[in-house]
């Protein structure tokens, strides 16, 4: 058999083999092959953990920094037997958020180690901001006067998700406190300097004394703020301030939807 005949057979064999791979092998491969996903219960693809990190929306625990509680939650007396509690929390994760985080707040008085009230709640944790958790007003029995509170996160609800979308920019201006000795009132303007309309804007006003301690708080809500527009907001209190208002801070948080509004 001459060399040309041998070479021709080899060429024909290679062509037939390639055809079988293309026509039979590839369909079988794609029939049984499952591409890595973020929901397959195993670490695959570019993931840095099981179904987290890499190209997945969920962040792995090692990729997220813990939430920082800025001091103990403040118990504020609004009127006789009526209270509210405010906590400041910092989220240091600039691209990490939690859609719905659960927490437990316990209130204590000076005479008991057993809580006089336990509050279960849920909140949205936006990326890279300091925000407030605001509970109240609520009534307690006559003679019960809580003076401290604790906040504990429900760890199984701290599911971090990656969010790299730009945060809308809202600007606070023209803050004026009046009627501190009768029925205190805080007026301000909120302007949307973003390129899009912003919805579900949660606003909390915190009033501090000369030592920086918060002694009064109030909140309000804006449904929609169109781009380029500003709206006036008002915060009120039913009784006179017992301390001098030295510093006023309005904390803005944009909620995903109205299910977080209470």
């Amino acid at each position: 058999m001459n060399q040309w005949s041998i070479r021709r057979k080899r060429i024909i064999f290679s062509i037939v083999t390639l055809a079988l791979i293309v026509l039979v092998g590839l369909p079988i491969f794609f029939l049984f092959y499952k591409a890595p996903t973020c929901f397959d219960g195993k670490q695959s693809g570019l993931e840095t953990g099981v179904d987290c990190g890499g190209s997945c929306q969920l962040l792995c625990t090692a990729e997220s920094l813990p939430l920082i509680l800025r001091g103990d939650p403040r118990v504020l007396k609004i009127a006789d037997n009526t209270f509210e509690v405010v906590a400041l929390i910092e989220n240091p994760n600039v691209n990490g958020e939690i859609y719905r985080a659960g927490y437990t707040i316990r209130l204590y008085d000076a005479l008991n180690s057993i809580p006089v009230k336990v509050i279960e709640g849920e909140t949205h944790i936006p990326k890279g901001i300091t925000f407030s958790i605001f509970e109240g007003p609520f009534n307690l029995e006559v003679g019960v006067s809580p003076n401290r509170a604790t906040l504990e996160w429900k760890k199984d609800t701290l599911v971090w998700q990656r969010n790299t979308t730009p945060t809308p920019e809202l600007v606070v201006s023209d803050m004026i406190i009046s009627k501190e000795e009768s029925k205190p009132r805080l007026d301000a303007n909120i302007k949307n300097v973003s390129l899009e309309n912003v919805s579900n804007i949660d606003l909390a006003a915190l009033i501090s004394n000369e030592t920086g301690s918060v002694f009064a708080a109030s909140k309000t809500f804006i449904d929609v703020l169109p781009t380029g527009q500003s709206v006036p907001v008002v915060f009120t209190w039913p009784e006179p301030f017992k301390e001098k208002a030295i510093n006023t801070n309005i904390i803005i948080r944009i909620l995903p939807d109205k299910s977080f509004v209470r």
Side-chain angles (χ1 to χ4, degrees), residues 207-225:
I207 312 298
S208 305
N209 58 22
E210 59 184 5
T211 66
S213 296
V214 175
F215 68 85
S218 183
K219 66 183 305 182
T220 189
F221 184 81
I222 301 174
D223 284 312
V224 180
L225 183 53

Side-chain angles (χ1 to χ4, degrees), residues 233-250:
V233 292
V234 178
F235 304 88
T236 59
W237 290 265
E239 294 194 354
F241 286 163
K242 295 183 179 180
E243 301 184 56
K244 179 65 177 177
I246 300 299
N247 185 52
T248 303
N249 186 20
I250 295 179

Side-chain angles (χ1 to χ4, degrees), residues 31-45:
L31 178 64
F32 293 99
Y33 172 73
K34 293 184 178 179
T37 71
C38 295
F39 310 98
D40 54 15
K42 59 184 178 181
Q43 184 175 345
S44 55

Side-chain angles (χ1 to χ4, degrees), residues 137-156:
F138 50 83
N139 295 322
L140 297 178
E141 295 180 3
V142 176
V144 176
S145 182
N147 61 354
R148 64 185 181 93
T150 63
L151 184 148
E152 181 180 355
W153 296 106
K154 297 180 179 180
K155 294 184 179 179
D156 60 334

Side-chain angles (χ1 to χ4, degrees), residues 45-210:
L46 299 176
E47 297 172 2
T48 55
V50 177
D51 292 342
C52 63
S55 58
C56 294
Q57 184 180 9
L58 293 181
L59 296 176
C60 298
T61 302
E63 295 178 303
S64 59
L65 298 171
L67 297 168
I68 301 170
L69 183 61
R70 292 299 186 189
D72 294 330
R74 296 284 296 173
V75 181
L76 308 175
K77 185 176 181 178
I78 302 175
D80 290 342
N81 309 318
T82 304
F83 301 86
E84 60 191 9
V85 60
V86 178
L88 275 179
I89 300 100
E90 178 186 351
N91 177 13
N93 299 282
V94 294
N95 288 320
E97 67 177 10
I98 299 175
Y99 176 71
R100 194 182 295 273
Y103 59 84
T104 302
I105 294 177
R106 295 178 173 87
L107 284 75
Y108 301 85
D109 64 14
L111 303 177
N112 290 289
S113 59
I114 298 175
V116 297
K117 184 174 181 62
V118 177
I119 301 171
E120 304 281 349
E122 294 179 325
T123 191
H124 174 65
I125 300 179
K127 62 177 184 177
I129 71 166
T130 296
F131 64 98
S132 65
I133 290 178
F134 191 108
E135 290 285 353
F138 50 83
N139 295 322
L140 297 178
E141 295 180 3
V142 176
V144 176
S145 182
N147 61 354
R148 64 185 181 93
T150 63
L151 184 148
E152 181 180 355
W153 296 106
K154 297 180 179 180
K155 294 184 179 179
D156 60 334
T157 68
L158 301 184
V159 181
W160 289 98
Q161 301 182 57
R162 191 186 316 277
N163 182 353
T164 57
T165 59
T167 301
E169 187 177 357
L170 305 177
V171 176
V172 180
S173 64
D174 305 324
M175 290 190 293
I176 300 175
I177 293 182
S178 59
K179 302 180 180 180
E180 293 183 53
E181 299 179 353
S182 54
K183 291 187 176 181
R185 172 186 174 115
L186 170 62
D187 290 86
N189 283 310
I190 310 295
K191 184 174 183 179
N192 179 9
V193 296
S194 306
L195 298 178
E196 297 180 352
N197 299 342
V198 180
S199 302
N200 306 319
I201 305 168
D202 181 69
L203 302 168
L206 306 181
I207 312 298
S208 305
N209 58 22
E210 59 184 5

